[in-house]
Amino acid sequence: MTTNRVKVRFELEPDEGWPPVESEGLWAEPLGGSGFRIDNAPWFVPDLAAADVVEAAADSDGVLWATRKIAHSGRLAVQVIPFRHGPLNGDLQAVLDVFIPLGVSGEGAAPTFHLVALDISPDADLRAIIDRLREGERDGSWEYSEGCVTSDWLAL
């Protein structure tokens, strides 16, 4: 992660209580002008992944709000919600530990939200990751959503 980071906020439209927030702030690297490179996988923003480039503008309070995505990095973002009654007892780090050997990084949103955002490189073993996600869903470990995936992912 770069040290010259700023927060860029994304407006969200909750539908039937999800996501549980009306906006999400993500760390980003200023690229000059109105461009910013996202520095982490989002928990709630759809169709966005780490290293994507967005355009943002400051409001009257100086808060940077994303206006549009201008470049996709090729990275993928998947959100995992572990079940507290499942085999991992809802442990966010245990979820990350399952995917780290597959070259996946991520971050848990505890204690406010009980979910993990996975950051997946486009050159990762997508088949192995999808298989593990589906296995965890079948064995009651978690449910997951595909926040930002590629055509390669969808073809598997």
Side-chain angles (χ1 to χ4, degrees), residues 129-142:
I129 296 165
I130 289 170
D131 287 349
R132 186 59 191 107
L133 284 165
R134 290 175 179 160
E135 180 184 324
E137 199 168 55
R138 278 192 307 273
D139 74 13
S141 292
W142 56 64

Side-chain angles (χ1 to χ4, degrees), residues 6-61:
V6 297
K7 278 276 185 161
V8 174
R9 295 211 67 80
F10 292 79
E11 189 172 359
L12 302 170
E13 296 181 24
D15 181 25
E16 296 184 25
W18 193 262
V21 293
E22 294 181 359
S23 70
E24 179 177 2
L26 296 172
W27 289 109
E29 172 190 0
L31 299 176
S34 60
F36 299 85
R37 179 174 290 111
I38 300 303
D39 204 24
N40 55 300
W43 289 307
F44 304 113
V45 180
D47 194 32
L48 190 75
D52 285 358
V53 177
V54 300
E55 184 176 80
D59 67 11
S60 60
D61 294 324

Side-chain angles (χ1 to χ4, degrees), residues 2 4 18 35 41 55 67 82-83 94-96 103 135-136 138-140 146:
T2 181
N4 183 29
W18 193 262
E55 184 176 80
T67 55
F83 297 127
V95 172
L96 288 168
E135 180 184 324
R138 278 192 307 273
D139 74 13
E146 299 168 332

Side-chain angles (χ1 to χ4, degrees), residues 14-127:
D15 181 25
E16 296 184 25
W18 193 262
V21 293
E22 294 181 359
S23 70
E24 179 177 2
L26 296 172
W27 289 109
E29 172 190 0
L31 299 176
S34 60
F36 299 85
R37 179 174 290 111
I38 300 303
D39 204 24
N40 55 300
W43 289 307
F44 304 113
V45 180
D47 194 32
L48 190 75
D52 285 358
V53 177
V54 300
E55 184 176 80
D59 67 11
S60 60
D61 294 324
V63 176
L64 286 169
W65 287 93
T67 55
R68 66 186 180 107
K69 181 165 77 171
I70 55 179
H72 179 56
S73 64
R75 300 190 76 76
L76 299 87
V78 172
Q79 293 76 30
V80 178
I81 301 174
F83 297 127
R84 295 179 198 276
H85 60 275
L88 301 178
N89 296 314
D91 186 324
L92 301 181
Q93 185 59 52
V95 172
L96 288 168
D97 291 346
V98 166
F99 292 97
I100 288 171
L102 300 174
V104 176
S105 62
E107 184 177 3
T112 308
F113 305 107
H114 195 75
L115 67 115
V116 173
L118 299 178
D119 174 24
I120 304 166
S121 170
D123 60 355
D125 184 346
L126 300 182
R127 167 52 64 201

